[in-house]
Every structure is written in structure tokens, then in C-alpha cells.
Amino acid sequence: MRKTIINSLAAVALSVTMVSCGDSWLETDLPNGVDTETALNNVDNIGYALNGTYYQLMRYYFAGNYASTIGDLASDLVYWSRSNGHQTELYQFTYTDTDNSIYYIWDYGYKVVDAAARVIQATEALLPEVSGDDAEYLKLYEAEARCLRAYANLVMVNIYCHQAKVAGQDFTSMPGLVLVEEPIEAYADVERASIGQTYSFIIGDLQKAVSLFSQVGDRGDLNYFGQASAYGLLARANVYMENWGEAASAAKNALSISGIDELAYTPAAYKALYNNASSNWESMFALAIDNLTNWSANSCGTLFTTYGYSSSPYLQSLYGNDDCRLSIIYFTGAGYNNDFSGGKFGYYGGSNPALATNYLVNAPEMYLIEAEAYANQSQIAQAQEALLVVAMRNPEITSTDDLPATKDGILSFLRDERARELFQEGLRLWDLRRWGGTVNLYATGAPDINWVINNADITNQVFPIPADEINAGFGVAQNEGWSSNRPR
């Protein structure tokens, strides 16, 4: 019987090794592990535990695949050639409360949340007893742990909960997540907070992280959270809450701190962003997936090549003929079979897409957040300026004169621009739900633009809490109507 997720205790690793396709989903005692329940009593062990938390985040069960792909697979941007059954229940909207990917995202999301909470608790307990470098390390570790917890919660609140806001309509009183401020004892009864409380918790973690980073700095390493990526997550959370002023401010801070003030605009430069595990200089945070630690058959690179997923004909129709992003959107054979380039998971500096990493917080999204926030505040010139930075990937767009000049026009253009730019970053379904209206889903009949599901209202679409969690009986309530609200 599977462990109850909320009430299972995690262990985190001092060191990690590559995990094969047959990795056990019950394995939490990793090689050379430190038990977070008893051993977080010194600075070094807290650092080791934090590294283990990053590893849990990186697993293909969570950010390394399932949690990062669900938002695109269940959208209008992806096409599947039906070569096999990997995650097709998401693409076809036939998912159930017993599906593996839905279970694993919840399971490993809460592994990250639990481990991060233990690191935060340990740093705060030890901090009064140390000084100097040790105190700075503890503040750094706490900042990163708060980012890890916020990231996991932000992913899960989108997957398992209603959108907080839909075109101005407020749904924040609906059920959100089980919030883990402190580690939850095994077998304790729990309950879901509201969506509004969940977002307040996420934003509070990120604000605290930003404050701590401002005191001690960050590692300046793409594979660790830092001040820029913390602001990036803060911008994303505030966009979902329609806190337009806060979203624009956080996005601007993320860009300023990162120093990313321009993007790649030629096909060669754009394709080179995805050459290896650290080649994307437009990114603020990426997973540490590389030739030594990767998910092989369970990687995103394999999903978007061997397993037959690709860009949909609809998405391809949105690009201008000379858009530099088309440099990674192509087929190496007859097309729409198993020969997609891999897109952002193509690993163009080598030959194995399984080695490609996930870039999770990136500068282009920050410019698009700025544009959306400014437009919604009727600050048209500022919205155009931010939007232009990304839109110039299409060489036909060279100035703000080539962009819409009204609020509605900018927002319409921006919705397509987010599709063009953020494909394979896992954000599309949440965009479609929060914007409201109807959408077409489950692409078929490529290269023609055809759909199995037409004009679907997905405002109330939400994924179920895993049945194992509900059946365990510790208080987690199921999403009412999740099955009847699946698009059909």
C-alpha cells in the first residue's frame, strides 16, 4: 500500500546518483541519507539536507518532468503522435484520481514541501547559537528552502486547485493546499487551507526569501535559487492573483538583479540557448540535470522526441515565418511522428535529448508579466516596451509601432506571445484557465489544425487529489466535481 503523502516522513540525501527508469517510487532513503527528523543539528547537515531537497524537486516525478509538463500536455500547444501511452491521459483529458503522474506530483511536491519546512525550522532554531559565516550560511539556506517550498506550492496550487482569479472573478475562498509551515507529524489529521491562504503563504515565503538574500547575497549559480529567481516566482504568483502592481514590480526586480536586459534574436543564438545544461543565459533558475544526473527514459527530452510529443499545428501557426524560435520547432523526418527536434529539450550541443535540463524561471516570462500587468493597469506605453523585448524574436516586429496600441489589443497579442515564448515551460493550462473563455484541445489529424474537444470552457477544470491520499482518511478533502468538469 502506498504511503500517505502528507503524513509520511522524508529523508534527504548527502549525495545522489543517477536514477534509472525502474526507480522505486517508495524510495525515500537515498544513498548516504541524513534523516531530517533527527540530524539537522549543525550547519553542515542542514546544507546537506537542503541539497537533498533540491534533488527531490529535480526528480522526474516532480519538476524534472511530470509537474513541469502537465500544464502543456493538457493544453492546445502540444501534439501527440500516439506512438505510446506516456501521459496520454492528460493530453486526452481522460485522467482519473488514480493516475500515476497525478499521484507522483502530489507525492513529490509534498516531499519538497516537507523537507524545506524541516530545513527552515532547523535554520531558525540554530541561528541564535551561531555567528559570522555560519549565521550567513543559515540565512542563505533558509532563503533557498523558502523558495523551494514556495515553488512546490505554486506548482501544486495550479494543478490541484481552481485558479485564484479568472478574468477578475475571485475564487480564493475555494479549497487550496494543505499548508506545511512546520513539519506535520505522521498520522496527524490535516485540512486544506483556502486558495487565498495558500497564495498568502507562498508570497510570504518568497518575500522572506528576498529579504534574506538581500542580507547575505546568493550563490550566483543557475542551479540554486537566488534573489532574482525569488523575485521571478513572486512575479508569477502575483500575476495569478491579479496583483498587477506587485507583479510588475517583482518582474522588474528579477530582471534588474539578474542583469538580463536583452534576449537572443537570431536563429543561431536562440538555438544555442538549449545546447546543454547551463547554456541558457536568459534563465534565472534551472534544474541540475546533466550528463551525470538525468532521467533517461523518463526525461522531458525523451518525452518530446521518442515518445511522440511535439508542438501542435496550432502553435506552429502562431509564429511568423522568420521567428527565431522556429530554430528549435522542427521535425527531423517526415513530421508529426517520433522525430520532433525536442524543442527546448533538444540538447543541440550534443546528441542525447535526455541530458537536457528544465529552465524554470526565465527572463522572457518576466517581460511578459510586466507587459500583462501594465496593460491591465492601462499603462499602454510601458506594456508595449516590455512586450517588445520578447516580440522582437519575430524580426518583422522592430518597434512598438508594430504592436497593438490598446489594452485589449495588447492582451490579445500577449496571449499568443505567451504561447509562442513559453511552450514547454508548463504554464499554458494555467494561462488558459485564468483568462477564461473557451478553448480547443486534444489536437489530432496533423498537419491540419483539428481538435477532438472544441470550444471547451475550462474555467472549472481541476485535477483530482490522488485517491490514495483521500482514502487514507487523514482529512484531505477531494475536489468536488473534478470528473464532471473535465473538458469533453
Side-chain angles (χ1 to χ4, degrees):
M1 179 177 176
R2 285 173 172 167
K3 296 180 181 178
T4 306
I5 301 157
I6 289 293
N7 299 292
S8 62
L9 300 178
V12 292
L14 297 172
S15 64
V16 298
T17 58
M18 177 173 159
V19 178
S20 70
C21 184
D23 178 48
S24 169
W25 48 265
L26 269 180
E27 182 182 357
T28 56
D29 296 316
L30 300 175
N32 301 315
V34 166
D35 185 351
T36 56
E37 186 75 5
T38 60
L40 299 187
N41 54 11
N42 62 65
V43 175
D44 286 344
N45 279 357
I46 292 172
Y48 297 144
L50 181 66
N51 283 342
T53 310
Y54 275 106
Y55 180 66
Q56 300 288 42
L57 179 85
M58 184 175 66
R59 299 286 289 273
Y60 69 84
Y61 302 117
F62 198 62
N65 185 336
Y66 293 165
S68 297
T69 56
I70 187 172
D72 275 349
L73 296 185
S75 81
D76 55 353
L77 301 188
V78 168
Y79 184 81
W80 177 55
S81 66
R82 295 177 178 81
S83 61
N84 57 69
H86 283 262
Q87 292 153 268
T88 54
E89 69 279 359
L90 304 175
Y91 179 74
Q92 297 172 336
F93 286 91
T94 58
Y95 53 80
T96 70
D97 58 356
T98 59
D99 284 336
N100 279 345
S101 57
I102 290 173
Y103 169 81
Y104 286 134
I105 295 169
W106 178 271
D107 184 9
Y108 276 79
Y110 273 106
K111 280 177 166 55
V112 174
V113 165
D114 176 79
R118 294 174 191 279
V119 170
I120 293 166
Q121 183 182 60
T123 58
E124 292 182 334
L126 190 57
L127 190 58
E129 303 176 15
V130 300
S131 60
D133 288 347
D134 282 349
E136 292 200 354
Y137 277 124
L138 288 178
K139 290 181 180 180
L140 174 66
Y141 295 161
E142 181 181 345
E144 292 182 14
R146 287 185 180 274
C147 288
L148 285 159
R149 183 167 66 180
Y151 181 88
N153 280 329
L154 188 56
V155 166
M156 290 194 293
V157 76
N158 278 301
I159 293 171
Y160 300 107
C161 308
H162 200 286
Q163 293 303 127
K165 302 285 181 71
V166 176
Q169 189 174 359
D170 193 324
F171 293 92
T172 55
S173 63
M174 292 185 67
L177 299 178
V178 176
L179 300 181
V180 184
E181 187 166 2
E182 295 182 352
I184 297 173
E185 294 183 5
Y187 310 112
D189 287 336
V190 297
E191 62 179 355
R192 296 171 68 180
S194 70
I195 293 172
Q197 291 169 327
T198 301
Y199 270 92
S200 293
F201 190 65
I202 292 167
I203 289 171
D205 262 345
L206 293 169
Q207 289 173 333
K208 178 65 172 179
V210 164
S211 175
L212 290 167
F213 283 132
S214 70
Q215 296 174 42
V216 300
D218 58 40
R219 305 189 200 215
D221 188 313
L222 185 62
N223 299 140
Y224 292 89
F225 279 109
Q227 193 170 19
S229 52
Y231 270 121
L233 292 181
L234 198 55
R236 188 182 296 172
N238 276 302
V239 156
Y240 293 149
M241 284 292 288
E242 296 186 359
N243 297 331
W244 304 122
E246 292 89 340
S249 176
K252 185 178 292 292
N253 284 333
L255 291 166
S256 175
I257 292 166
S258 70
I260 303 171
D261 55 8
E262 63 178 13
L263 305 179
Y265 295 113
T266 68
Y270 184 79
K271 190 173 184 178
L273 295 174
Y274 303 99
N275 275 352
N276 57 55
S278 60
S279 55
N280 191 338
W281 51 265
E282 297 180 357
S283 184
M284 302 173 190
F285 176 69
L287 300 180
I289 297 172
D290 56 23
N291 61 325
L292 297 177
T293 303
N294 61 80
W295 311 129
S296 188
N298 295 298
S299 68
C300 291
T302 303
L303 189 71
F304 279 99
T305 53
T306 304
Y307 292 162
Y309 285 100
S310 65
S311 57
S312 70
Y314 167 69
L315 172 61
Q316 295 200 40
S317 75
L318 297 180
Y319 292 102
N321 291 334
D322 296 317
D323 194 305
C324 70
R325 289 168 291 205
L326 289 174
S327 63
I328 63 170
I329 307 295
Y330 65 92
F331 295 83
T332 57
Y336 291 105
N337 292 309
N338 289 336
D339 47 7
F340 181 58
S341 66
K344 291 177 179 177
F345 299 105
Y347 203 80
Y348 303 104
S351 59
N352 186 358
L355 308 184
T357 194
N358 302 57
Y359 294 102
L360 298 181
V361 183
N362 305 311
E365 183 194 358
M366 298 302 107
Y367 285 110
L368 295 175
I369 286 174
E370 278 193 280
E372 184 173 359
Y374 287 137
N376 275 290
Q377 297 173 94
S378 297
Q379 296 174 271
I380 302 304
Q382 294 94 321
Q384 288 178 313
E385 289 292 342
L387 184 56
L388 180 65
V389 179
V390 181
M392 287 193 302
R393 305 267 210 203
N394 179 355
E396 295 178 3
I397 297 175
T398 60
S399 75
T400 55
D401 292 338
D402 299 317
L403 297 174
T406 65
K407 174 182 174 179
D408 289 345
I410 289 172
L411 291 176
S412 178
F413 183 96
L414 181 136
R415 292 174 185 185
D416 286 345
E417 193 63 31
R418 282 184 67 93
R420 288 184 285 263
E421 181 59 41
L422 303 181
F423 171 56
Q424 295 182 302
E425 294 185 24
L427 306 177
R428 181 62 171 179
L429 182 58
W430 330 134
D431 281 349
L432 293 174
R433 293 195 318 194
R434 69 187 177 90
W435 290 331
T438 61
V439 297
N440 300 320
L441 300 164
Y442 188 175
T444 187
D448 294 330
I449 300 176
N450 293 315
W451 310 96
V452 174
I453 301 171
N454 290 274
N455 300 314
D457 181 353
I458 59 171
T459 299
N460 296 314
Q461 184 274 335
V462 63
F463 293 101
I465 307 296
D468 281 1
E469 186 63 64
I470 302 301
N471 295 338
F474 290 105
V476 180
Q478 184 57 277
N479 292 317
E480 294 184 9
W482 68 264
S483 181
S484 60
N485 285 321
R486 284 181 302 187
R488 287 175 172 84

